[in-house]
Amino acid sequence: MLLHLSTWSEVEAYLNQYQGIILPIGSTEQHGPTGLIGTDAICAEVISKGVGETVQALVGPTINVGMALHHTGFPGTISLRPSTMIQVIRDYIVSLARAGFTKFFFINGHGGNIATLKAAFSETYAHLADLNIANADQVQCKVGNWFMCSSVYKLAKELYGDQEGYHATPSEVALTQYVYPEAIKQAPLSENVASGYSIYSAADFRRRYPDGRMGSNPALATPEHGEQFYELAVKELSNSYLEFMNN
């Protein structure tokens, strides 16, 4: 059940039985010479839909733009500042909490969102209390990072070893290839790829990681691999969602 394809009366009926909602969040940022700019949002969205179908939970609209300031040296990247993203997340949760939702399960596709999401949750809890919204003390938020699922991590290491890298990885590229086989990209990739540098400014990032990759070899990705990652992530995150709802 997708929120944007539902009516208000259907949502009201849903809330009579369930108070949980899944919110996909990703990013719009460069992913190397062959990775789609929408990779993080695409991955979060498709996995969220799969989890929603599995656990019969409502899935909200995908938050496509995240905190990706360090990627803005590459054309096409769009980023929110951390302070802006905190306000966006807070407003999402407040709007839905007013309706009666109390359990917010964010399925995240971008590592750069994690710190800001956790800060947003803390600010939101305090803001809800200040607003005196009914059931404010029952609101709980959790992040499920699909790329950090133990089963996903294990398969990525089995398939790619150290060439999985840390950004523009073959695992995430493979998942987008599975979802959008018509958008598979080809480009020459140098064998030498930068890795191990700390992340500072956007200009520094581009200087240290000139093609956008961080130790990865996305040429190893296949749509078949992507299907495997999808199935593993849906299964593991479905279990995480149900555990979250039962606590």
Side-chain angles (χ1 to χ4, degrees), residues 56-74:
Q56 294 298 292
L58 192 64
V59 179
T62 302
I63 303 171
N64 291 284
V65 179
M67 207 303 289
L69 291 174
H70 50 294
H71 291 296
T72 53
F74 295 85

Side-chain angles (χ1 to χ4, degrees), residues 70-185:
H70 50 294
H71 291 296
T72 53
F74 295 85
T77 297
I78 304 172
S79 180
L80 300 177
R81 291 172 296 168
S83 55
T84 304
M85 183 173 158
I86 288 171
Q87 297 299 313
V88 170
I89 298 300
R90 191 190 76 176
D91 288 352
Y92 265 60
I93 295 171
V94 168
S95 297
L96 293 167
R98 288 186 187 278
F101 290 95
T102 59
K103 292 275 196 171
F104 298 87
F105 191 75
F106 287 77
I107 293 183
N108 178 41
H110 174 49
N113 287 340
I114 297 173
T116 304
L117 277 171
K118 291 181 178 179
F121 297 162
S122 294
E123 183 162 323
T124 300
Y125 297 141
H127 186 62
L128 286 169
D130 291 341
L131 293 175
N132 292 317
I133 291 177
N135 299 323
D137 61 336
Q138 296 180 32
V139 170
Q140 297 178 348
C141 305
K142 183 177 178 64
V143 180
N145 303 297
W146 81 267
F147 50 90
M148 294 176 68
C149 290
S150 59
S151 56
V152 168
Y153 181 83
K154 180 181 178 182
L155 178 61
K157 286 301 181 182
E158 289 174 356
L159 292 174
Y160 314 125
D162 292 340
Q163 295 187 82
E164 166 71 354
Y166 304 97
H167 180 68
T169 62
S171 58
E172 61 185 345
V173 170
L175 183 49
T176 65
Q177 290 179 346
Y178 169 60
V179 180
Y180 289 110
E182 71 277 13
I184 294 175
K185 309 295 184 180

Side-chain angles (χ1 to χ4, degrees), residues 172-214:
E172 61 185 345
V173 170
L175 183 49
T176 65
Q177 290 179 346
Y178 169 60
V179 180
Y180 289 110
E182 71 277 13
I184 294 175
K185 309 295 184 180
Q186 301 292 336
L189 298 173
S190 62
E191 291 186 13
N192 295 323
V193 55
S195 182
Y197 297 110
S198 298
I199 296 174
Y200 298 106
S201 68
D204 184 76
F205 185 96
R206 175 131 192 195
R207 182 167 56 249
R208 295 181 185 276
Y209 299 102
D211 74 353
R213 293 181 295 155
M214 298 177 70

